[in-house]
Amino acid sequence: MKLLRYGPPGQEKPGLLDAAGTIRDLSGVLPDFSGDALSAAGLAKLAALDPASLPAVSGNPRLGPPVAHMKNFVCIGLNYADHAAETGAAIPKEPIIFLKSLGALCGPNDDVEIPKNSQKTDWEVELAIVIGTKAKNVSEAEALDYVAGYAVCNDVSEREFQIERGGQWDKGKGCDTFGPLGPWLVTKDEVPDPQDLAMFCEVDGHRYQDGSTRTMIFGVEKVVSYVSQFITLHPGDVITTGTPPGVGMGQKPPVYLKPGQTIRLGIAGLGEQVQKTVAAA
């Protein structure tokens, strides 16, 4: 299933995308995509519905993040061998964990704000894992039992804030609009191998990133298990798993975002995002 949330910011309703590409309203079935709705039992109930029996949503509504009431927006850094190489960083011996501010979360096609005094805002297409069941100290063998599905994330990053302003990655990762998520949550039954997904990112039509989750250093099972040793994961939490090479910082010379540009990114089977860049107020 492809599950989504649509409507104005803060007023999103749950929905699903049917086989014909029509959004179907789920607000009469459940209040939102959070809590038990994302569990295996909750998803099974949704899968048993006939999409044709649900109201069709007309027009082209805004899409919000496909999950609600997230507690943790977790990120894994330098998790692609070829991306680590382009940045000159050593291959991590263990997953690098940092957190995005929950305020960074936004819809997949919402504008991305270039922060005040930013000179080095960058793009990163990433596979996001969506947690469906509370996970604490889980093993790699059982890790996928706690996963509801996957989504596309743009881990927007301000490199000067991240690297040159005191060593804390969070300040370069947590700005408003720095976490576009979606367009939908694709349930894990439709993603037979999350370690074999093509992914891309373009800016103004130029393709900078053209990679695959095959080059991830730590795969989905390892990442979920590892993070759960340190952070209790809750339904609706997201772990975004790193980016392949081709980020702006890795260009020679580096290339960074400025207001008035268009970012387009996607992952095979998980959909695409398109964002306009604007100057932050």
Side-chain angles (χ1 to χ4, degrees), residues 65 70 73 75 99-107 110-113 153-156 170 172-181:
M70 182 191 298
F73 198 168
C75 304
L99 299 175
K100 268 191 181 292
S101 164
L102 298 182
L105 185 67
C106 65
D110 290 347
D111 291 344
V112 165
E113 297 179 3
C153 183
N154 187 357
D155 178 19
V156 185
D170 296 24
K173 297 283 191 170
C175 301
D176 291 348
T177 74
F178 270 26
L181 186 69

Side-chain angles (χ1 to χ4, degrees), residues 114-122 157-161 164-165 178 248-249 254-259 261:
I114 307 297
K116 286 185 178 181
N117 304 314
S118 168
Q119 299 296 321
K120 298 181 179 180
T121 298
D122 204 346
S157 309
E158 212 297 346
R159 302 302 187 188
E160 181 187 4
F161 299 177
E164 303 171 38
R165 298 285 296 276
F178 270 26
M249 180 174 63
V255 176
Y256 295 113
L257 295 166
K258 57 185 183 295
Q261 295 187 290

Side-chain angles (χ1 to χ4, degrees), residues 34 56 61 69 271:
S34 61
H69 309 306

Side-chain angles (χ1 to χ4, degrees), residues 10-28:
Q11 302 176 44
E12 293 94 345
K13 295 180 179 180
L16 63 79
L17 195 73
D18 70 15
T22 298
I23 296 175
R24 297 286 178 166
D25 180 19
L26 280 171
S27 61

